[in-house]
Structures are given as C-alpha cells and as structure tokens.
C-alpha cells in the first residue's frame, strides 16, 4: 500500500498545469469540447481527478487556459520588427490559423468576449495601430473593429462545430450550398446567385485577410 501511495505521489508531483493544459488541447482537438472530461483527462495523464483539480478547478477554467495557450503561441509567432500593417495581418492570420487548427477555440472565444486570450489580441492590434500612427481617439474604434471581425470568424467556426459533422468534406459542402444559392429566385436574390460561383471556389483564409485589409485601408484613409 505504501509503495502504491509513493508511486501516486510521484505522479502527482510530476503533474504540472502546463502538462494538464497540453493534454486538454489534445483531447479537444481529437474529441471536441464534449470529449473533454476530467475522467478522460485523468486517463490520458495516468493520474487521479484530485491531482488535476489541484491545478485546475473545473472544466471552464481548463477551457480558458487551453484557449489562452493556443492564442499565446499564435501571438508569439509575430516577428518583431515587422512593419505595423504587416504585423496586424500577421496577428490576424495567426489567430485564423489557430482557430482553423483548433475549432473549439472559436467556441470559447465567442463564449466570453473579454477573456485573457481576446485581451492578448486586442493589445497586440492596439499596439500596432499606435505604431501605425492612428490618432489616439480612433485607436479604440479601429482595434475594436478588428477584434469584432475576428470574433465573427470565431462565431462562424463555433457554429460549424455545432452544426456540421467533423468529417464533412469542405468542397462537397460548399458545392451543395452554392447549388442551393444558384436555385434561388433571381428577382429576390440576384447578388447571392451571382456570388454562388465565388462561394464554391473561395479560400476562407484569403477571404478573412481580405477583410482585414479592407479595415486597414479604411483606417489609413480616415482623416488624421
């Protein structure tokens, strides 16, 4: 019994918050949010519930920590010395790639707008807007517009996770949706019918970054 207890203690001592978060990210990527349970996490880490709860109190805290970790890594990839406009695009593309690789991040970002992960994005964008020379009174509005646009992306991915099966073929899904658009009443939906071809062929990442460029073009064109 004593030997067993000492082994358990050693495993508990080796357990860190970082290891728990890493294991949680693996579970979320593989099984989605419903697959993240303390039972599954304990099995993956070969430890007990109590050892995990010593570091993380509940599932909500764990989701926030996992999201924060993913966004922190994305933000860390922005190269220092990059020109402000390109740095903003790099932040945006990094966040896009993070949400694309970890769709559950979109759901978590949509759930609580001012959590740490979103504050990191807001701070990063805001600092670059200052470096870009955007006037003080406009900085908040510009940073908020970019953050809101990014939250729109997060919301789309969150909805996709809920409504679309994980193994859905993207090309087939878009082809089906585009075919539906093409059958709409031309008098009521002329633009949507015209956009059907673009929908079928578009690249999500390129479209997202095109939106960032539109926002930045508007920012630069605004009176100083």
């Amino acid at each position: 019994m004593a030997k067993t207890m000492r082994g358990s203690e050693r495993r508990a001592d080796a357990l860190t918050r970082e290891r728990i978060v890493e294991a949680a990210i693996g579970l979320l990527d593989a099984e989605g949010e419903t697959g993240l349970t303390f039972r599954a996490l304990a099995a993956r880490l070969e430890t007990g519930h109590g050892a995990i709860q010593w570091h993380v109190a509940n599932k909500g805290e764990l989701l926030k920590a996992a999201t924060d970790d993913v966004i922190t890594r994305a933000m860390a990839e922005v190269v220092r010395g990059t020109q402000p406009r390109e740095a903003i695009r790099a932040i945006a593309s990094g966040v896009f790639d993070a949400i694309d690789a970890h769709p559950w991040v979109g759901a978590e970002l949509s759930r609580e707008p001012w959590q740490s992960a979103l504050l990191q994005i807001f701070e990063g964008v805001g600092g670059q807007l200052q470096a870009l020379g955007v006037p003080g009174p406009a900085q908040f509005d510009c940073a908020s517009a970019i953050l809101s646009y990014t939250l729109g992306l997060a919301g789309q991915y969150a909805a996709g996770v809920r409504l679309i099966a994980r193994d859905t073929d993207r090309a087939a899904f878009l082809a089906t949706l585009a075919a539906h658009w093409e059958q709409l009443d031309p008098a009521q939906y002329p633009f949507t019918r015209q956009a059907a071809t673009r929908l079928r062929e578009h690249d999500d990442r390129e479209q997202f970054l095109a939106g960032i460029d539109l926002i930045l073009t508007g920012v630069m064109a605004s009176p100083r």
Side-chain angles (χ1 to χ4, degrees), residues 3-24:
K3 183 176 181 180
T4 302
M5 287 297 295
R6 283 196 295 273
S8 299
E9 288 168 1
R10 282 197 296 273
R11 286 196 297 274
D13 289 343
L15 194 63
T16 64
R17 184 180 176 88
E18 289 73 20
R19 280 190 60 211
I20 293 170
V21 169
E22 182 180 359

Side-chain angles (χ1 to χ4, degrees), residues 83-85 88 127-134 216 219-220 224:
Q83 291 298 312
R85 179 170 180 142
I88 292 172
Q128 295 303 327
L129 289 170
Q130 289 176 330
L132 199 57
V134 175
L216 291 176
V219 168
M220 299 308 296
R224 298 302 181 97

Side-chain angles (χ1 to χ4, degrees), residues 113-192:
W114 291 108
Q115 61 182 280
S116 174
L118 281 175
L119 290 178
Q120 286 189 69
I121 301 169
F122 190 69
E123 181 65 29
V125 169
Q128 295 303 327
L129 289 170
Q130 289 176 330
L132 199 57
V134 175
Q139 291 172 8
F140 176 76
D141 290 340
C142 295
S144 297
I146 292 172
L147 187 64
S148 296
Y149 178 65
T150 303
L151 276 175
L153 165 78
Q156 286 184 355
Y157 271 79
V161 169
R162 291 193 300 270
L163 301 175
I164 303 172
R166 292 169 63 86
D167 58 352
T168 298
D169 179 85
R170 179 182 182 276
F173 174 80
L174 290 179
T176 300
L177 185 57
H180 172 68
W181 283 16
E182 289 168 347
Q183 298 303 313
L184 294 171
D185 183 348
Q188 189 174 4
Y189 299 101
F191 176 78
T192 303

Side-chain angles (χ1 to χ4, degrees), residues 71 89 91-110 118 121 145-162 170 202-209 211-212 215:
I71 295 301
R89 290 185 94 255
I91 291 170
S93 61
V95 171
F96 179 93
D97 291 341
I99 294 174
D100 187 47
H102 313 281
W104 52 270
V105 170
E108 182 60 22
L109 291 177
S110 301
L118 281 175
I121 301 169
I146 292 172
L147 187 64
S148 296
Y149 178 65
T150 303
L151 276 175
L153 165 78
Q156 286 184 355
Y157 271 79
V161 169
R162 291 193 300 270
R170 179 182 182 276
H202 84 284
D203 179 275
D204 291 337
R205 191 175 193 273
E206 289 180 2
Q207 186 181 57
F208 174 71
L209 290 177
I212 293 292
I215 294 173

